[in-house]
Amino acid sequence: MNTTLRRAAGFTLLELLVVVTIIAILSAIAIPSYRQYVLRGHRTDATRALQDLAAREENFYFANNAYSKLTTDLGSSASVAGRYFSINIPSASSTDYTLRATAIDPQTQDTMCRVFTLDRAGNSLSTDAGGADTSTTCWGK
């Protein structure tokens, strides 16, 4: 009679706990970093939309000899930057205009770059949640 004991195949509880702990640590590091990259990616949508609207303002000026205060006159809308930024034209006259992109939910989690502005002269500005100038970081200057 053969009385050798066979070890059961599988994982021990200790091995499972070690793997779960390692996964938890990696997740705690990776997920916040990923979220920051996603928020930074949405900034590009805002700057691209402002530059597109600036070109549309110039086309509108050549046709009407004045800049428009309405995005609809430019063939666009307030949601041209997607669902993360709202675009508006706070000022427009016969000689100048200013365009603004303001972060909306969930982009407001990006405390670094909340508001982007662009004027007729090409001056680009961005501000953080406290109103401090963050143009170098946010516009990539």
Side-chain angles (χ1 to χ4, degrees), residues 13-134:
L13 182 59
L14 183 59
E15 291 170 330
L16 282 173
L17 287 175
V18 168
V19 169
V20 168
T21 303
I22 290 171
I23 290 172
I25 291 170
L26 290 175
S27 296
I29 294 169
I31 291 173
S33 179
Y34 172 74
R35 286 185 182 153
Q36 286 300 318
Y37 280 112
V38 169
L39 293 175
R40 283 178 29 198
H42 295 287
R43 295 176 193 169
T44 305
D45 294 338
T47 57
R48 177 203 45 82
L50 289 178
Q51 291 169 343
D52 178 58
L53 277 179
R56 290 172 184 253
E57 278 282 15
E58 294 301 330
N59 288 337
F60 187 86
Y61 180 82
F62 288 124
N64 301 293
N65 205 28
Y67 294 108
S68 175
K69 194 167 181 162
L70 302 173
T71 57
T72 54
D73 288 346
L74 305 176
S76 189
S77 69
S79 63
V80 69
R83 63 183 184 131
Y84 302 105
F85 285 90
S86 176
I87 305 289
N88 67 349
I89 305 171
S91 66
S93 66
S94 62
T95 59
D96 200 11
Y97 66 86
T98 301
L99 308 172
R100 178 178 294 141
T102 306
I104 53 177
D105 289 333
Q107 190 66 24
T108 55
Q109 295 173 4
D110 184 6
T111 58
M112 185 69 136
C113 305
R114 286 268 178 96
V115 178
F116 292 88
T117 58
L118 181 65
D119 65 12
R120 185 191 64 77
N123 298 319
S124 54
L125 177 70
S126 62
T127 55
D128 63 8
D133 183 4
T134 57

